[in-house]
Amino acid sequence: MGDSHSKPDVLVLRKGTHGVPIEQYATALRNRLSDRTVSLARTPAAERELIRDAEYVTGMVLEEPLLERAENLGVFACAYAGTGHLPVDRLEQRGVAVTNASGVHGPNIGEHVLGSMLRFARRFYVGNRRQRRREWRHYQVAELQGSTVTVVGLGAIGQAVCDRLEPFGVETIGVRYTPEKGGPTDEVVGFEEGPFHEALARTDYLVLACPLTETTRGLVDRDALVTLDPEAVLVNVARGPVVDTEALVEAVRSSWIRGAALDVTDPEPLPEDNPLWNFENVRITPHNAGHTPKYYDRLADIVAENARRYGDDSDAMLENRVL
């Protein structure tokens, strides 16, 4: 049913991500934990059986019926950066520690954001259209250098974006809950309407890299989109509901902004009849910025180290602990 019928040091649940077989994740963990037992529960029945005694479990999801079978669970190492899909209340009641995959996505999402910005600066989409028409005709472009980039969220992804912007000669504004902490940007403001809108008024590229919270839900609304300069570009690699979709459609139709690059939408998947699909100055990718062939390796670095710490001392400090 699974790799092992004895109690494993680490149990890997069966759901993979980004179309990459979960076996690769189990192999990456085994390579880092050669002195420990790593079992992969490859079927629903194997999950139900092996989770009963497992203390350290990792996977993309942990649904409540499976959690209720886990008699000895001490740690759930979530293989996603976000944990909102987990039965957090029940995990907390049970005293289960939860870690996430924060930091795993930094390089790939940072590159995705940078590519999105360069696409608009150099207007590659116009070049693509003219190539399809076999039309050799010059067109106007801009430079990223000298722009002001506002990054909302200065966690691992926001940091990765800022690192990659460093050589491009841009001014950066960071938006975070605790601006007094500073950050990797030239200046930092909070989410209060006054400072946030003042930052938007100076913004050429607005990058959303924040978690979805009560504060960030609907953050980029009609007021925010009107406040942005008509030449501004929105790049969303956060969560769809951070942006008011109806207001964004109106903004693009009315040229309130130059365009948008959306890796996430609200709703998601974006319905086929949504007008955003049809605008040349809106680039939509299917929540794909997180894809990288290095995903399981980077994740395994964190999870294996935590498994080793936990195996040596169940009260040890765990990296990326969120609960």
Side-chain angles (χ1 to χ4, degrees):
M1 294 168 68
D3 292 60
S4 171
H5 293 283
S6 61
K7 176 182 171 182
D9 295 303
V10 178
L11 174 62
V12 182
L13 302 181
R14 65 194 167 94
K15 185 182 186 301
T17 191
H18 298 308
V20 182
I22 194 66
E23 282 82 0
Q24 291 187 21
Y25 179 35
T27 297
L29 286 170
R30 290 189 187 108
N31 289 341
R32 290 159 176 78
L33 294 167
S34 56
D35 57 337
R36 315 277 171 120
T37 303
V38 177
S39 293
L40 171 59
R42 200 60 189 80
T43 67
E47 286 184 337
R48 291 192 296 268
E49 176 187 324
L50 291 171
I51 203 169
R52 187 172 59 243
D53 298 321
E55 293 184 43
Y56 192 102
V57 176
T58 183
M60 311 292 159
V61 297
L62 178 60
E63 294 175 349
E64 201 154 344
L66 191 61
L67 172 59
E68 294 312 310
R69 288 178 167 270
E71 297 174 7
N72 298 305
L73 185 61
V75 177
F76 180 68
C78 182
Y80 289 134
T83 55
H85 62 290
L86 299 176
V88 174
D89 291 346
R90 186 69 184 116
L91 286 160
E92 193 168 13
Q93 289 171 7
R94 292 274 303 272
V96 177
V98 177
T99 63
N100 70 2
S102 178
V104 169
H105 284 307
N108 45 296
I109 295 186
E111 290 178 7
H112 183 99
V113 169
L114 193 58
S116 299
M117 294 167 64
L118 288 169
R119 175 182 185 269
F120 278 95
R122 303 306 299 171
R123 297 183 73 201
F124 289 135
Y125 53 93
V126 176
N128 289 342
R129 183 180 70 228
R130 294 189 180 180
Q131 181 177 346
R132 286 195 304 270
R133 296 174 177 175
R134 299 176 176 81
E135 181 181 354
W136 186 278
R137 183 161 60 90
H138 290 275
Y139 54 93
Q140 300 291 315
V141 298
E143 293 182 357
L144 192 54
Q145 179 171 285
S147 301
T148 297
V149 181
T150 296
V151 180
V152 181
L154 296 179
I157 292 171
Q159 174 74 57
V161 170
C162 293
D163 289 347
R164 282 152 184 77
L165 285 172
E166 189 70 32
F168 282 86
V170 300
E171 290 291 315
T172 53
I173 304 171
V175 183
R176 71 186 313 171
Y177 288 106
T178 50
E180 61 274 9
K181 286 185 178 178
T185 48
D186 294 313
E187 59 182 285
V188 183
V189 301
F191 283 98
E192 297 81 9
E193 182 178 301
F196 179 59
H197 281 179
E198 286 172 15
L200 292 186
R202 296 185 281 136
T203 296
D204 297 300
Y205 293 88
L206 176 60
V207 177
L208 304 178
C210 53
L212 179 63
T213 66
E214 287 184 16
T215 300
T216 61
R217 184 179 293 275
L219 179 72
V220 181
D221 55 9
R222 194 178 194 276
D223 282 342
L225 289 162
V226 171
T227 302
L228 285 166
D229 189 275
E231 286 299 304
V233 172
L234 170 68
V235 181
N236 190 4
V237 291
R239 287 291 183 268
V242 176
V243 177
D244 180 327
T245 300
E246 288 187 16
L248 179 59
V249 171
E250 186 179 5
V252 176
R253 278 184 171 150
S254 304
S255 295
W256 296 348
I257 60 174
R258 179 152 51 110
L262 308 174
D263 191 57
V264 289
T265 59
D266 181 29
E268 192 173 300
L270 189 66
E272 292 179 15
D273 60 353
N274 190 285
L276 290 171
W277 285 111
N278 299 317
F279 296 120
E280 185 182 53
N281 60 337
V282 175
R283 198 221 21 208
I284 295 170
T285 48
H287 207 142
N288 211 61
H291 182 268
T292 167
K294 304 288 188 183
Y295 188 86
Y296 285 146
D297 283 327
R298 291 190 194 126
L299 177 62
D301 287 340
I302 298 168
V303 173
E305 174 58 26
N306 279 343
R308 194 175 297 284
R309 291 181 193 176
Y310 182 79
D312 294 340
D313 177 6
S314 61
D315 293 322
M317 291 283 291
L318 301 178
E319 185 179 352
N320 282 4
R321 183 166 179 174
V322 294
L323 182 66

